[in-house]
Amino acid sequence: MHSVHHRTATVDGHEIFYREAGPADAPAIILLHGFPTSSFMFRELIPLLAADYHVIAPDHLGFGHSAAPLAGEFAYTFDALAELTSGLLDHLGLDRYALYVQDYGAPIGWRLALQHPERITALVTQNGNGYEDGFVESFWTDVWAYGANPGPDTEPAVRAALSIDAIRWQYVHGVPDPSLVSPDTWQHDFALVSREGNDEVQLALFRDYQNNRPLYPLLHEFLRTSEVPVLAVWGRNDEIFGPAGARAFARDAKDAEVHLINGGHFLLESHLDVVAGYLRGFLGRVLG
């Protein structure tokens, strides 16, 4: 078992928490978490990678152990979160790295790749969307309505996503054996999004999510022109980002490797060894 360090760095005046493991001179892989969790979602994956890779897993601002200024004190957008992540990687002196993205980590990672395409050695998407194909309409209709017209008529439907029942659903839906998923996961996330004022942080990002969609054609062009290696390992029962979103990467990424697993949105909680096996095999081939 390899040691995992828990550190913070000041980026643009904000304290950003990150987990770090592995040799500093090994190929780097950056793990970017989704909603409503944090780098906590990678707690068991990191030691499985640390023997061969320099692993960095930050908490986005407003999540986990990073600073969480109120929405009135910081303009929470995916552009802003990507800039802070880029600043952290610059602070750490990382100018070549693979990206592992899940959920919110995907639009943050796509911005990093488009800003500095020369830095990206590989892309791994685990239920991290990059195509219109991936949106499951039954989930996203309320988000689009809120983004288009935020107010008392549209807010209650998205605010419900902050409830413990909704967070638990994200973890257990589509999992054939829900007993494999620790209740610590949704209890941990619920406690953090329930901090005073954090609801407005999350609502700001719900409103901004629609601004990720125009990035998709740019991402697809990057995949075609860079020929960066891509692994899509996806819970095929995900009712947020459906399996069509995983298959779509094969349209633009040369020789994209796509694996659909009998699991849900947070695949690492039920199929850690399966994901880690595909990930280590892929990284070993493309990074040497």
Side-chain angles (χ1 to χ4, degrees), residues 125 127-131 133-134 230-236 241-251 256-260:
T125 172
N127 299 75
N129 198 46
Y131 288 82
D133 312 51
V230 173
L231 167 66
V233 57
W234 211 277
R236 69 168 180 247
F241 297 122
R247 298 187 189 101
F249 281 91
R251 291 206 295 265
E257 185 176 332
V258 179
H259 300 281
L260 300 178

mmCIF file of all heavy atoms in Angstrom, residues 125 127-131 133-134 230-236 241-251 256-260:
data_model
loop_
_atom_site.group_PDB
_atom_site.id
_atom_site.type_symbol
_atom_site.label_atom_id
_atom_site.label_comp_id
_atom_site.label_asym_id
_atom_site.label_seq_id
_atom_site.Cartn_x
_atom_site.Cartn_y
_atom_site.Cartn_z
ATOM 1 N N THR A 125 -12.412 8.860 -19.320
ATOM 2 C CA THR A 125 -13.705 9.361 -18.880
ATOM 3 C C THR A 125 -14.501 8.237 -18.250
ATOM 4 O O THR A 125 -14.737 7.208 -18.868
ATOM 5 C CB THR A 125 -14.483 10.017 -20.037
ATOM 6 O OG1 THR A 125 -15.812 10.319 -19.587
ATOM 7 C CG2 THR A 125 -14.552 9.136 -21.278
ATOM 8 N N ASN A 127 -17.991 7.977 -16.854
ATOM 9 C CA ASN A 127 -19.270 8.676 -16.733
ATOM 10 C C ASN A 127 -19.048 10.190 -16.680
ATOM 11 O O ASN A 127 -19.657 10.904 -15.874
ATOM 12 C CB ASN A 127 -20.041 8.184 -15.506
ATOM 13 C CG ASN A 127 -20.356 6.699 -15.586
ATOM 14 O OD1 ASN A 127 -19.464 5.862 -15.382
ATOM 15 N ND2 ASN A 127 -21.593 6.356 -15.911
ATOM 16 N N GLY A 128 -18.143 10.641 -17.556
ATOM 17 C CA GLY A 128 -17.870 12.057 -17.720
ATOM 18 C C GLY A 128 -18.252 12.461 -19.134
ATOM 19 O O GLY A 128 -17.599 12.069 -20.092
ATOM 20 N N ASN A 129 -19.284 13.256 -19.277
ATOM 21 C CA ASN A 129 -19.920 13.467 -20.572
ATOM 22 C C ASN A 129 -19.175 14.460 -21.459
ATOM 23 O O ASN A 129 -18.641 15.459 -20.986
ATOM 24 C CB ASN A 129 -21.354 13.962 -20.368
ATOM 25 C CG ASN A 129 -22.198 13.785 -21.602
ATOM 26 O OD1 ASN A 129 -22.185 12.741 -22.224
ATOM 27 N ND2 ASN A 129 -22.943 14.821 -21.971
ATOM 28 N N GLY A 130 -19.188 14.163 -22.789
ATOM 29 C CA GLY A 130 -18.619 15.087 -23.763
ATOM 30 C C GLY A 130 -19.441 15.176 -25.033
ATOM 31 O O GLY A 130 -18.987 15.755 -26.019
ATOM 32 N N TYR A 131 -20.656 14.610 -24.999
ATOM 33 C CA TYR A 131 -21.507 14.557 -26.189
ATOM 34 C C TYR A 131 -22.966 14.759 -25.791
ATOM 35 O O TYR A 131 -23.388 14.330 -24.705
ATOM 36 C CB TYR A 131 -21.369 13.196 -26.896
ATOM 37 C CG TYR A 131 -20.047 13.010 -27.595
ATOM 38 C CD1 TYR A 131 -18.910 12.609 -26.880
ATOM 39 C CD2 TYR A 131 -19.925 13.240 -28.958
ATOM 40 C CE1 TYR A 131 -17.690 12.453 -27.513
ATOM 41 C CE2 TYR A 131 -18.699 13.083 -29.598
ATOM 42 C CZ TYR A 131 -17.590 12.688 -28.879
ATOM 43 O OH TYR A 131 -16.382 12.543 -29.510
ATOM 44 N N ASP A 133 -25.213 13.094 -26.907
ATOM 45 C CA ASP A 133 -25.738 11.728 -26.801
ATOM 46 C C ASP A 133 -25.841 11.255 -25.360
ATOM 47 O O ASP A 133 -26.663 10.394 -25.039
ATOM 48 C CB ASP A 133 -24.828 10.745 -27.551
ATOM 49 C CG ASP A 133 -24.460 11.176 -28.945
ATOM 50 O OD1 ASP A 133 -24.000 12.327 -29.116
ATOM 51 O OD2 ASP A 133 -24.593 10.355 -29.864
ATOM 52 N N GLY A 134 -24.987 11.790 -24.498
ATOM 53 C CA GLY A 134 -24.892 11.260 -23.144
ATOM 54 C C GLY A 134 -25.979 11.720 -22.199
ATOM 55 O O GLY A 134 -26.206 11.088 -21.161
ATOM 56 N N VAL A 230 -7.865 7.678 -25.724
ATOM 57 C CA VAL A 230 -9.070 7.850 -24.908
ATOM 58 C C VAL A 230 -9.565 6.499 -24.410
ATOM 59 O O VAL A 230 -9.689 5.544 -25.187
ATOM 60 C CB VAL A 230 -10.194 8.547 -25.709
ATOM 61 C CG1 VAL A 230 -11.499 8.558 -24.918
ATOM 62 C CG2 VAL A 230 -9.787 9.979 -26.078
ATOM 63 N N LEU A 231 -9.842 6.451 -23.113
ATOM 64 C CA LEU A 231 -10.509 5.309 -22.488
ATOM 65 C C LEU A 231 -11.821 5.806 -21.903
ATOM 66 O O LEU A 231 -11.831 6.753 -21.103
ATOM 67 C CB LEU A 231 -9.642 4.722 -21.372
ATOM 68 C CG LEU A 231 -10.335 3.724 -20.424
ATOM 69 C CD1 LEU A 231 -10.727 2.440 -21.152
ATOM 70 C CD2 LEU A 231 -9.435 3.409 -19.221
ATOM 71 N N ALA A 232 -12.929 5.191 -22.307
ATOM 72 C CA ALA A 232 -14.232 5.458 -21.696
ATOM 73 C C ALA A 232 -14.654 4.204 -20.951
ATOM 74 O O ALA A 232 -14.912 3.165 -21.569
ATOM 75 C CB ALA A 232 -15.266 5.836 -22.747
ATOM 76 N N VAL A 233 -14.682 4.279 -19.626
ATOM 77 C CA VAL A 233 -15.128 3.152 -18.806
ATOM 78 C C VAL A 233 -16.323 3.665 -18.016
ATOM 79 O O VAL A 233 -16.212 4.588 -17.224
ATOM 80 C CB VAL A 233 -13.983 2.597 -17.930
ATOM 81 C CG1 VAL A 233 -13.371 3.645 -17.037
ATOM 82 C CG2 VAL A 233 -14.434 1.389 -17.140
ATOM 83 N N TRP A 234 -17.480 3.068 -18.228
ATOM 84 C CA TRP A 234 -18.752 3.727 -17.930
ATOM 85 C C TRP A 234 -19.716 2.751 -17.269
ATOM 86 O O TRP A 234 -19.818 1.589 -17.683
ATOM 87 C CB TRP A 234 -19.354 4.159 -19.267
ATOM 88 C CG TRP A 234 -20.200 5.385 -19.314
ATOM 89 C CD1 TRP A 234 -21.527 5.468 -18.997
ATOM 90 C CD2 TRP A 234 -19.822 6.684 -19.775
ATOM 91 N NE1 TRP A 234 -21.981 6.734 -19.235
ATOM 92 C CE2 TRP A 234 -20.955 7.510 -19.701
ATOM 93 C CE3 TRP A 234 -18.627 7.229 -20.234
ATOM 94 C CZ2 TRP A 234 -20.944 8.849 -20.084
ATOM 95 C CZ3 TRP A 234 -18.599 8.557 -20.610
ATOM 96 C CH2 TRP A 234 -19.745 9.356 -20.536
ATOM 97 N N GLY A 235 -20.436 3.234 -16.270
ATOM 98 C CA GLY A 235 -21.545 2.458 -15.735
ATOM 99 C C GLY A 235 -22.706 2.512 -16.717
ATOM 100 O O GLY A 235 -23.298 3.561 -16.912
ATOM 101 N N ARG A 236 -23.019 1.398 -17.319
ATOM 102 C CA ARG A 236 -23.994 1.420 -18.412
ATOM 103 C C ARG A 236 -25.419 1.661 -17.940
ATOM 104 O O ARG A 236 -26.304 1.954 -18.747
ATOM 105 C CB ARG A 236 -23.921 0.125 -19.214
ATOM 106 C CG ARG A 236 -24.397 -1.129 -18.514
ATOM 107 C CD ARG A 236 -24.539 -2.274 -19.511
ATOM 108 N NE ARG A 236 -24.996 -3.504 -18.885
ATOM 109 C CZ ARG A 236 -24.260 -4.604 -18.769
ATOM 110 N NH1 ARG A 236 -23.023 -4.617 -19.224
ATOM 111 N NH2 ARG A 236 -24.754 -5.679 -18.190
ATOM 112 N N PHE A 241 -25.837 10.240 -17.132
ATOM 113 C CA PHE A 241 -25.113 10.192 -18.407
ATOM 114 C C PHE A 241 -25.184 8.758 -18.925
ATOM 115 O O PHE A 241 -24.529 7.865 -18.402
ATOM 116 C CB PHE A 241 -23.664 10.628 -18.227
ATOM 117 C CG PHE A 241 -23.497 12.052 -17.764
ATOM 118 C CD1 PHE A 241 -22.825 12.340 -16.594
ATOM 119 C CD2 PHE A 241 -24.038 13.099 -18.497
ATOM 120 C CE1 PHE A 241 -22.674 13.646 -16.159
ATOM 121 C CE2 PHE A 241 -23.892 14.413 -18.071
ATOM 122 C CZ PHE A 241 -23.217 14.693 -16.906
ATOM 123 N N GLY A 242 -25.988 8.553 -19.946
ATOM 124 C CA GLY A 242 -26.247 7.216 -20.442
ATOM 125 C C GLY A 242 -25.101 6.646 -21.252
ATOM 126 O O GLY A 242 -24.157 7.360 -21.640
ATOM 127 N N PRO A 243 -25.152 5.346 -21.549
ATOM 128 C CA PRO A 243 -24.053 4.674 -22.242
ATOM 129 C C PRO A 243 -23.795 5.201 -23.647
ATOM 130 O O PRO A 243 -22.681 5.052 -24.155
ATOM 131 C CB PRO A 243 -24.487 3.209 -22.268
ATOM 132 C CG PRO A 243 -25.970 3.235 -22.061
ATOM 133 C CD PRO A 243 -26.239 4.420 -21.189
ATOM 134 N N ALA A 244 -24.789 5.832 -24.271
ATOM 135 C CA ALA A 244 -24.543 6.429 -25.588
ATOM 136 C C ALA A 244 -23.453 7.493 -25.502
ATOM 137 O O ALA A 244 -22.732 7.738 -26.479
ATOM 138 C CB ALA A 244 -25.831 7.033 -26.150
ATOM 139 N N GLY A 245 -23.333 8.129 -24.344
ATOM 140 C CA GLY A 245 -22.275 9.121 -24.158
ATOM 141 C C GLY A 245 -20.892 8.514 -24.163
ATOM 142 O O GLY A 245 -19.923 9.160 -24.575
ATOM 143 N N ALA A 246 -20.776 7.266 -23.718
ATOM 144 C CA ALA A 246 -19.488 6.571 -23.766
ATOM 145 C C ALA A 246 -19.164 6.153 -25.196
ATOM 146 O O ALA A 246 -18.048 6.382 -25.691
ATOM 147 C CB ALA A 246 -19.518 5.349 -22.852
ATOM 148 N N ARG A 247 -20.139 5.563 -25.883
ATOM 149 C CA ARG A 247 -19.908 5.088 -27.249
ATOM 150 C C ARG A 247 -19.552 6.237 -28.182
ATOM 151 O O ARG A 247 -18.797 6.056 -29.141
ATOM 152 C CB ARG A 247 -21.151 4.371 -27.767
ATOM 153 C CG ARG A 247 -21.534 3.119 -26.982
ATOM 154 C CD ARG A 247 -22.671 2.395 -27.677
ATOM 155 N NE ARG A 247 -23.220 1.308 -26.880
ATOM 156 C CZ ARG A 247 -24.343 1.398 -26.181
ATOM 157 N NH1 ARG A 247 -25.048 2.527 -26.191
ATOM 158 N NH2 ARG A 247 -24.771 0.369 -25.480
ATOM 159 N N ALA A 248 -20.074 7.428 -27.903
ATOM 160 C CA ALA A 248 -19.869 8.564 -28.800
ATOM 161 C C ALA A 248 -18.399 8.942 -28.938
ATOM 162 O O ALA A 248 -17.991 9.473 -29.978
ATOM 163 C CB ALA A 248 -20.680 9.762 -28.311
ATOM 164 N N PHE A 249 -17.588 8.674 -27.920
ATOM 165 C CA PHE A 249 -16.169 9.036 -28.011
ATOM 166 C C PHE A 249 -15.484 8.315 -29.174
ATOM 167 O O PHE A 249 -14.511 8.826 -29.739
ATOM 168 C CB PHE A 249 -15.450 8.734 -26.690
ATOM 169 C CG PHE A 249 -15.687 9.768 -25.637
ATOM 170 C CD1 PHE A 249 -16.746 9.632 -24.743
ATOM 171 C CD2 PHE A 249 -14.887 10.892 -25.541
ATOM 172 C CE1 PHE A 249 -16.986 10.589 -23.767
ATOM 173 C CE2 PHE A 249 -15.113 11.862 -24.567
ATOM 174 C CZ PHE A 249 -16.180 11.707 -23.679
ATOM 175 N N ALA A 250 -15.988 7.159 -29.539
ATOM 176 C CA ALA A 250 -15.383 6.404 -30.642
ATOM 177 C C ALA A 250 -15.585 7.088 -31.991
ATOM 178 O O ALA A 250 -14.890 6.754 -32.955
ATOM 179 C CB ALA A 250 -15.960 4.990 -30.681
ATOM 180 N N ARG A 251 -16.496 8.058 -32.069
ATOM 181 C CA ARG A 251 -16.697 8.774 -33.334
ATOM 182 C C ARG A 251 -15.518 9.676 -33.671
ATOM 183 O O ARG A 251 -15.211 9.901 -34.838
ATOM 184 C CB ARG A 251 -17.976 9.627 -33.270
ATOM 185 C CG ARG A 251 -19.261 8.835 -33.237
ATOM 186 C CD ARG A 251 -20.400 9.658 -33.810
ATOM 187 N NE ARG A 251 -20.703 10.835 -33.016
ATOM 188 C CZ ARG A 251 -21.655 10.884 -32.081
ATOM 189 N NH1 ARG A 251 -22.377 9.799 -31.803
ATOM 190 N NH2 ARG A 251 -21.884 11.998 -31.422
ATOM 191 N N ALA A 256 -10.547 4.684 -29.839
ATOM 192 C CA ALA A 256 -11.042 4.848 -28.474
ATOM 193 C C ALA A 256 -11.385 3.487 -27.875
ATOM 194 O O ALA A 256 -11.966 2.628 -28.533
ATOM 195 C CB ALA A 256 -12.263 5.750 -28.460
ATOM 196 N N GLU A 257 -11.009 3.309 -26.625
ATOM 197 C CA GLU A 257 -11.301 2.079 -25.903
ATOM 198 C C GLU A 257 -12.530 2.331 -25.036
ATOM 199 O O GLU A 257 -12.500 3.203 -24.162
ATOM 200 C CB GLU A 257 -10.095 1.692 -25.051
ATOM 201 C CG GLU A 257 -10.220 0.361 -24.349
ATOM 202 C CD GLU A 257 -8.944 -0.020 -23.599
ATOM 203 O OE1 GLU A 257 -7.848 0.411 -24.013
ATOM 204 O OE2 GLU A 257 -9.064 -0.727 -22.590
ATOM 205 N N VAL A 258 -13.618 1.608 -25.274
ATOM 206 C CA VAL A 258 -14.887 1.831 -24.579
ATOM 207 C C VAL A 258 -15.311 0.553 -23.866
ATOM 208 O O VAL A 258 -15.383 -0.514 -24.483
ATOM 209 C CB VAL A 258 -15.989 2.280 -25.562
ATOM 210 C CG1 VAL A 258 -17.309 2.481 -24.823
ATOM 211 C CG2 VAL A 258 -15.584 3.555 -26.297
ATOM 212 N N HIS A 259 -15.595 0.686 -22.563
ATOM 213 C CA HIS A 259 -16.055 -0.448 -21.773
ATOM 214 C C HIS A 259 -17.304 -0.030 -20.997
ATOM 215 O O HIS A 259 -17.270 0.946 -20.239
ATOM 216 C CB HIS A 259 -14.978 -0.905 -20.783
ATOM 217 C CG HIS A 259 -13.712 -1.345 -21.440
ATOM 218 N ND1 HIS A 259 -13.573 -2.588 -22.030
ATOM 219 C CD2 HIS A 259 -12.522 -0.701 -21.609
ATOM 220 C CE1 HIS A 259 -12.344 -2.693 -22.531
ATOM 221 N NE2 HIS A 259 -11.690 -1.567 -22.295
ATOM 222 N N LEU A 260 -18.393 -0.749 -21.191
ATOM 223 C CA LEU A 260 -19.635 -0.511 -20.459
ATOM 224 C C LEU A 260 -19.773 -1.577 -19.381
ATOM 225 O O LEU A 260 -19.819 -2.768 -19.678
ATOM 226 C CB LEU A 260 -20.827 -0.550 -21.415
ATOM 227 C CG LEU A 260 -20.799 0.493 -22.548
ATOM 228 C CD1 LEU A 260 -21.997 0.318 -23.461
ATOM 229 C CD2 LEU A 260 -20.746 1.907 -21.978
#
